[in-house]
């Protein structure tokens, strides 16, 4: 037994040698996860937010034809007046989807609508607003135009044969439109990652239930639900599981049988009823880490059957921070999507923050853009890992890396915007 008693934590607290860094925990998780390979074909609209399992190659030119970018008159560039006003003969009309089939000759023009195919012989369009219609067959055009103006060329957006999207791309609204412009009704994507989660703790009650002395409402399942909902995964909410070995075992079995990822909160700190760890040890290969971070020191990661298991801390802020730092990138990797690093920005910190090098800290902050365009950030109020309102108040995490010491007001810090 150790004869050393830890002092209460403060800015100068020492760090233990068995703690692992945020970076090495992330590395370990990243290396343990292989992307899902199950491919499904879905109607185009259902693919929004999903990860492409095929590359997308344009079968056609987009646009398909050289066409007018304006409502106006199509004509030969050589007919554009240099230093006077010219009158041209209107010989026909070209509408989007209803081409003019004749030929445009010198001294002639064709009334043309946006998107209509450029008539043979015409290479320029003059906007309607820059002309004067004399009668049904004659229009006056002034100076200042150039040959080729107001024309969109076949394939200028995307050329036939161009590989526009690669496997691993997460499909955006713009991508849906681009793919629709090729005429594809269905595409191949990876199936969604299935995530089961539950809370553990005898003190927890679900919303809508009555509280007895010492009981609290389960909020972690709601923050987890919210964060998972933003990630295009399938969500299986398994409720609250009591601190009872049989209940925990049954929940682990059920969750790992139906999900790719199992997330729990609570019950991984020291002094917890000690069957959660033995149950996990017996059922899978699990690491219990003390991570050199604040909030969120204890984290469990490993394999439970075929599922990846994340045992998050119980404290509500720690749940959110560990989810964002560890689970979110893991879900991204599992989904087959290209790895997207969280955006980190520089901001001037307007508060003093006490910290000692050796661990990563995630303080809740509110950043704003100053008149000169630079960013400034302030701490929200109290920073305890049970103060969930600090996450509601915050619009960013202030990330203080391992090697960093305290921050003085006016120093630059890194921030990670939330959402
Ligand atoms: P634990 O890690 O289980 O000891 O939990 C640490 C703290 O977080 C305790 O104060 C718990 O009551 C609280 N906690 C655990 N799970 C939840 C939950 N699902 N919702 C709200 N608070 C929780
Ligand atoms: Mg507990």
């Amino acid at each position: 037994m150790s004869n050393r008693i830890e002092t209460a934590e403060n800015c100068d607290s020492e760090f233990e040698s068995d703690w692992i860094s945020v970076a090495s925990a992330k590395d370990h998780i990243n290396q343990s996860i292989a992307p899902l390979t199950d491919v499904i074909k879905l109607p185009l609209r259902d693919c929004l937010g999903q990860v492409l399992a095929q590359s997308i190659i344009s079968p056609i030119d987009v646009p398909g034809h050289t066409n007018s970018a304006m409502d106006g008159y199509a004509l030969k560039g050589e007919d554009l007046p240099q230093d006077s006003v010219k009158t041209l003969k209107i010989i026909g009309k070209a509408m989007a989807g209803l081409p003019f089939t004749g030929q445009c000759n010198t001294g002639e023009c064709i009334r043309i609508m946006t998107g209509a195919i450029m008539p043979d012989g015409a290479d320029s369009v003059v906007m309607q607003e820059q002309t004067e219609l004399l009668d049904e067959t004659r229009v006056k055009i002034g100076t200042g135009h150039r040959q080729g103006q107001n024309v969109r060329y076949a394939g200028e957006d995307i050329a036939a044969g161009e590989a526009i999207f690669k496997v691993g791309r997460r499909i955006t609204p713009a991508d849906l439109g681009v793919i629709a412009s090729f005429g594809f009704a269905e595409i191949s994507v990876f199936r969604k990652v299935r995530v089961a989660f539950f809370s553990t703790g005898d003190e927890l009650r679900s919303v809508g239930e009555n509280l007895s002395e010492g009981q609290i409402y389960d909020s972690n399942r709601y923050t987890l639900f919210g964060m998972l909902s933003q990630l295009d995964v399938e969500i299986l909410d398994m409720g609250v599981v009591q601190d009872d070995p049989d209940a925990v075992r049954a929940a682990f079995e059920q969750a790992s049988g139906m999900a790719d990822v199992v997330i729990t909160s609570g019950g991984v700190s020291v002094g917890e009823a000690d069957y959660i760890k033995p149950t996990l040890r017996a059922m899978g290969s699990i690491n219990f880490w003390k991570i050199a971070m604040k909030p969120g020191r204890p984290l469990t990661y490993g394999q439970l059957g075929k599922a990846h298991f994340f045992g998050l801390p119980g404290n509500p802020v720690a749940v959110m921070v560990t989810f964002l730092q560890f689970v979110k990138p893991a879900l991204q990797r599992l989904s087959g999507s290209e790895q997207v690093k969280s955006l980190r920005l520089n901001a001037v910190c307007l508060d003093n923050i006490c910290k000692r090098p050796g661990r990563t800290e995630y303080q809740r902050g509110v950043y704003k853009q100053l008149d000169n365009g630079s960013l400034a950030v302030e701490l929200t109020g109290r920073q305890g890992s049970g103060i969930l309102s600090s996450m509601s108040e915050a619009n960013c995490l202030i990330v203080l890396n391992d090697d960093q010491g305290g921050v003085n007001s006016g120093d630059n810090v890194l921030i990670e915007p939330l959402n």
Side-chain angles (χ1 to χ4, degrees):
M1 239 178 85
S2 161
N3 55 8
R4 203 177 136 260
I5 296 175
E6 269 191 61
T7 52
E9 205 172 283
N10 60 36
C11 286
D12 286 332
S13 291
E14 293 287 349
F15 301 105
E16 302 286 316
S17 56
D18 62 342
W19 292 15
I20 70 164
S21 68
V22 168
S24 47
K26 282 187 181 180
D27 274 355
H28 179 98
I29 294 169
N30 200 43
Q31 281 162 24
S32 310
I33 289 179
L36 295 180
T37 52
D38 304 349
V39 174
I40 49 173
K41 244 192 169 143
L42 288 181
L44 187 52
R45 277 180 198 201
D46 297 343
C47 297
L48 181 63
Q50 306 273 78
V51 179
L52 263 184
Q54 64 170 99
S55 57
I56 300 283
I57 296 168
S58 175
I60 51 173
D61 277 339
V62 180
H65 308 277
T66 298
N67 66 85
S68 176
M70 293 290 172
D71 292 338
Y73 296 88
L75 44 77
K76 285 188 170 310
E78 65 211 39
D79 268 341
L80 289 168
Q82 293 306 304
D83 47 17
S84 62
V85 173
K86 215 182 223 179
T87 301
L88 297 180
K89 186 177 171 204
I90 306 168
I91 61 162
K93 206 187 244 184
M95 315 279 282
L98 240 163
F100 174 78
T101 49
Q103 171 86 25
C104 179
N105 297 305
T106 306
E108 296 175 347
C109 65
I110 290 102
R111 174 101 178 92
I112 196 163
M113 302 297 153
T114 306
I117 296 183
M118 285 295 286
D120 282 346
D123 59 12
S124 311
V125 172
V126 176
M127 280 169 73
Q128 183 173 313
E129 295 86 333
Q130 296 166 351
T131 65
E132 187 188 337
L133 190 61
L134 298 176
D135 56 41
E136 274 183 16
T137 58
R138 289 180 313 143
V139 64
K140 247 163 105 173
I141 289 161
T143 56
H145 302 289
R146 69 184 164 73
Q147 185 159 29
Q149 70 180 21
N150 299 328
V151 174
R152 305 188 288 212
Y153 295 93
E156 76 170 18
D157 184 358
I158 303 158
E162 195 179 322
I164 183 122
F165 301 135
K166 288 199 214 118
V167 172
R169 183 178 179 89
R170 201 174 280 284
I171 299 169
T172 67
D175 298 353
L176 278 190
V178 168
I179 298 168
S181 71
F182 303 153
F184 296 154
E186 287 190 322
I187 49 174
S188 295
V189 292
F190 295 111
R191 78 160 167 83
K192 283 189 186 181
V193 176
R194 288 186 204 109
V195 182
F197 63 102
F198 57 88
S199 299
T200 65
D202 280 341
E203 77 280 28
L204 301 177
R205 287 293 172 274
S206 291
V207 295
E209 294 177 358
N210 292 324
L211 293 186
S212 304
E213 176 85 3
Q215 295 180 332
I216 59 169
Y217 286 116
D218 173 8
S219 57
N220 290 343
R221 261 166 57 234
Y222 286 81
T223 48
L224 282 174
F225 166 82
M227 293 186 292
L228 287 166
S229 297
Q230 295 177 331
L231 295 181
D232 292 298
V233 294
E234 260 177 50
I235 301 172
L236 308 157
D237 181 345
M238 295 178 58
V240 174
V241 174
Q242 298 301 298
D243 288 328
D244 165 81
D246 293 335
V248 168
R249 167 170 277 277
F252 284 159
E253 264 165 12
Q254 195 195 348
S256 61
M258 61 186 184
D260 305 299
V261 174
V262 178
I263 303 172
T264 65
S265 70
V268 288
S269 46
V270 218
E272 202 54 46
D274 63 0
Y275 45 75
I276 288 187
K277 288 182 186 177
T279 310
L280 283 170
R281 263 198 202 100
M283 290 179 67
S285 60
I286 302 287
N287 304 291
F288 299 96
W289 287 326
K290 282 188 200 159
I291 300 186
M293 71 186 284
K294 185 183 167 188
R297 184 160 68 159
L299 182 82
T300 301
Y301 168 71
Q303 250 42 59
L304 194 58
K306 283 192 187 139
H308 298 275
F309 179 86
F310 291 88
L312 307 184
N315 277 310
V317 177
V319 166
M320 293 194 77
V321 171
T322 50
F323 179 92
L324 293 170
Q325 297 303 318
F326 300 106
V327 185
K328 185 177 164 186
L331 292 175
Q332 230 168 37
R333 178 159 166 74
L334 200 58
S335 71
S337 124
E338 299 158 328
Q339 212 78 344
V340 191
K341 279 207 168 158
S342 298
L343 180 66
R344 286 193 173 176
L345 304 169
N346 260 303
V348 174
C349 189
L350 304 179
D351 288 302
N352 296 319
I353 304 175
C354 91
K355 175 184 182 289
R356 195 185 144 101
R359 71 176 171 196
T360 305
E361 295 195 7
Y362 301 88
Q363 307 262 343
R364 271 71 69 212
V366 179
Y367 76 95
K368 57 175 188 251
Q369 193 155 33
L370 304 176
D371 289 341
N372 68 6
S374 65
L375 301 178
V377 66
E378 278 178 298
L379 290 173
T380 63
R382 284 176 303 143
Q383 294 284 315
S385 66
I387 311 289
L388 186 54
S389 60
S390 71
M391 283 301 286
S392 286
E393 220 182 301
N395 62 5
C396 70
L397 294 174
I398 301 171
V399 184
L400 306 174
N401 283 319
D402 283 9
D403 52 0
Q404 203 170 339
V407 173
N408 293 315
S409 170
D411 286 354
N412 259 307
V413 289
L414 280 179
I415 61 166
E416 220 174 85
L418 295 165
N419 303 319

